Amino acid sequence: MKKKVTKAIFPVAGLGTRFLPATKSVPKEIMTLVDRPLIQYAIDEARAAGIEDFIFVTSRGKTALEDYFDLAPDLEAALEGAGKTELLDILRTTNMDSGAIAYIRQHKPLGLGHAVSCASKLIGNEPFAVILPDDVIAADKPCLQQMVEAYEETGGAMVAAMEVAPEKTSSYGILDVKGGDGPVVSVNRMVEKPKQGTAPSNLAVIGRYILTPHVMQNFAHITKGAGGEVQLTDAIAAEISQGRDVFGFRFDGQRFDCGSKAGFLQATVAFALARDELRDDLYGYLTEMVSVDKAAQ
Ligand code: UTP
């Protein structure tokens, strides 16, 4: 019987250079879409998928993340005293059970694969999820939950996948797949950041994974790959060469690349428009902006 996926790794040790100077002192994952930090969206998605153990791979300057998930007794007492029960409920959604979160350090930013491998001892011999909090996915059924359900059928390693424009393939891990247009496709080959014009398809890997303990073991013989970094893609691709299954999963939902400024701004607008209390004002403002811009042309 397949083991249930109850552990998730959140690699948050990157430098976040695309958001400098903000990320000099604020971890990228603490930046907010409307009023919730990116990391909260990731945790909520993981919980919905049945994750019970949350493993953060952090680095220097990320203590704000640890503080965010701590209890805030003074703040809770102040809100309670003032009868602000709605705000108190919102605050309490950030509380985590003692022992549910582990923080481990990646001492040098040697790449996403290296960050994941730092959690190896905490994963042991179990399947695990990896969530990149800067990929935010809006979906009726949360993306990781969709993947866990698919994984229960397929086993193997599974990566979230979506079609990207051909000129964008060099920024992603790209899949060479067999299988039709359905959500689950079998992967023949994976290439991290292929040079322009050499991508085997335009099906790109997005920041959600369900991986087997074998993938963790592969790091023992993975060397630096694209960009001089230890790549997670290479450890997953090694599964294929060893004759084990790797699947791509075309999820249902809209993905925002919140690791880039443009993606972050688009997500901010989309998530704000989805909120009843903000929608009308923001919609009016955006319509006005667009019409002024058109008038100027
Ligand atoms: P990115 O490629 O977005 O890098 O990492 P980054 O450092 O976060 O941001 P930029 O490109 O400098 O702006 C993808 C994910 O992998 C993690 C990041 O924290 C992010 O969640 N990561 C990357 C690590 O944990 N360690 C690394 O060495 C590299």
Side-chain angles (χ1 to χ4, degrees), residues 65-220:
L65 268 170
E66 298 186 29
D67 292 343
Y68 177 78
F69 287 112
D70 212 337
L71 294 185
D74 295 346
L75 189 51
E76 286 197 18
L79 292 175
E80 202 152 18
K84 296 185 171 171
T85 47
E86 257 181 56
L87 286 177
L88 193 58
D89 289 345
I90 290 173
L91 183 65
R92 285 185 173 148
T93 60
T94 65
N95 291 352
M96 301 289 282
D97 293 338
S98 294
I101 302 194
Y103 300 95
I104 49 173
R105 283 272 168 124
Q106 183 191 27
H107 292 114
K108 289 184 188 167
L110 299 178
L112 172 60
H114 180 260
V116 169
S117 74
C118 290
S120 153
K121 286 203 175 117
L122 296 180
I123 292 299
N125 195 29
E126 292 191 32
F128 60 99
V130 176
I131 298 188
L132 306 191
D134 49 9
D135 269 338
V136 176
I137 301 173
D140 288 338
K141 182 187 280 187
C143 179
L144 193 68
Q145 189 182 347
Q146 297 174 35
M147 289 177 73
V148 164
E149 288 173 8
Y151 166 83
E152 280 164 4
E153 302 288 319
T154 60
M158 182 174 280
V159 299
M162 68 178 247
E163 319 281 344
V164 297
E167 66 275 14
K168 296 271 173 73
T169 50
S170 56
S171 307
Y172 291 89
I174 298 293
L175 302 178
D176 175 8
V177 298
K178 55 176 179 278
D181 295 333
V184 179
V185 282
S186 183
V187 178
N188 291 326
R189 196 161 63 94
M190 302 173 70
V191 198
E192 183 62 30
K193 301 191 175 66
K195 290 205 175 70
Q196 205 70 47
T198 66
S201 76
N202 63 343
L203 193 58
V205 178
I206 299 305
R208 302 288 183 278
Y209 309 76
I210 295 180
L211 302 175
T212 60
H214 287 130
V215 175
M216 218 34 129
Q217 288 157 20
N218 292 342
F219 285 114

